[in-house]
Amino acid sequence: MPRIPYPPEGKALPDVVAEGPGKGMRTLNVQRMLLHLTPAIHDKLTPFSLSLLQEGILDPILRELALVRVGLLSNSPYEVHHHDALALRVGVTQAKLDALRQDAIGDPFTPAEQAVLIFIDDMVKNVRPADATLSA
């Protein structure tokens, strides 16, 4: 149950994205919430957001590890639930998802994954990454 109500029925989206970035994907709840925005903003923000997921340059495994970690650190079970599933779909192992729930960042993560996770921890916990984090 969302804490903010979905927009009224007259502003409903189809269950599946029909065209553009995300074509054929299930419409996400966050897209439904964006209907609270003006149509001009919604119509530009939605394709941009979907493009980040589908056409971004960040490796999908790094992206999903980062998103799950943000969800965990932010106490957002909804975000974690949905990105756990996406993470598994792009190739993150269950062992890595389990390890994300620990404070220490080491095994089983690669050096690149560790660097991303340290950056995420620094950003979420301190709002701004330390110079040492950025130089790693």
Side-chain angles (χ1 to χ4, degrees):
M1 178 69 151
R3 294 175 63 195
I4 300 170
Y6 288 116
E9 286 299 316
K11 293 182 98 175
L13 289 173
D15 289 335
V16 176
V17 178
E19 57 188 46
K23 182 178 179 178
M25 284 179 55
R26 183 177 57 83
T27 297
L28 305 174
N29 289 334
V30 68
Q31 291 170 277
R32 288 180 169 75
M33 285 298 186
L34 291 176
L35 287 172
H36 285 293
L37 301 170
T38 66
I41 294 173
H42 176 272
D43 293 348
K44 289 176 178 59
L45 188 57
T46 298
F48 171 73
S49 300
L50 290 171
S51 292
L52 289 175
L53 280 176
Q54 294 186 326
E55 301 165 15
I57 60 171
L58 185 61
D59 176 87
I61 289 176
L62 295 176
R63 179 193 69 223
E64 292 306 321
L65 287 172
L67 289 168
V68 171
R69 187 67 171 195
V70 168
L72 290 165
L73 295 172
S74 302
N75 193 27
S76 177
Y78 179 89
E79 186 79 8
V80 172
H81 170 77
H82 287 282
H83 282 283
D84 270 349
L86 284 170
L88 290 169
R89 203 172 312 147
V90 299
V92 174
T93 64
Q94 186 62 53
K96 288 184 179 183
L97 288 177
D98 294 342
L100 282 177
R101 284 139 171 92
Q102 309 304 315
D103 283 335
I105 299 170
D107 281 340
F109 301 108
T110 67
E113 293 166 346
Q114 290 176 25
V116 167
L117 295 171
I118 290 167
F119 177 82
I120 292 298
D121 282 12
D122 216 3
M123 285 291 295
V124 173
K125 294 176 182 177
N126 303 315
V127 181
R128 179 174 185 228
D131 291 340
T133 301
L134 287 175
S135 66

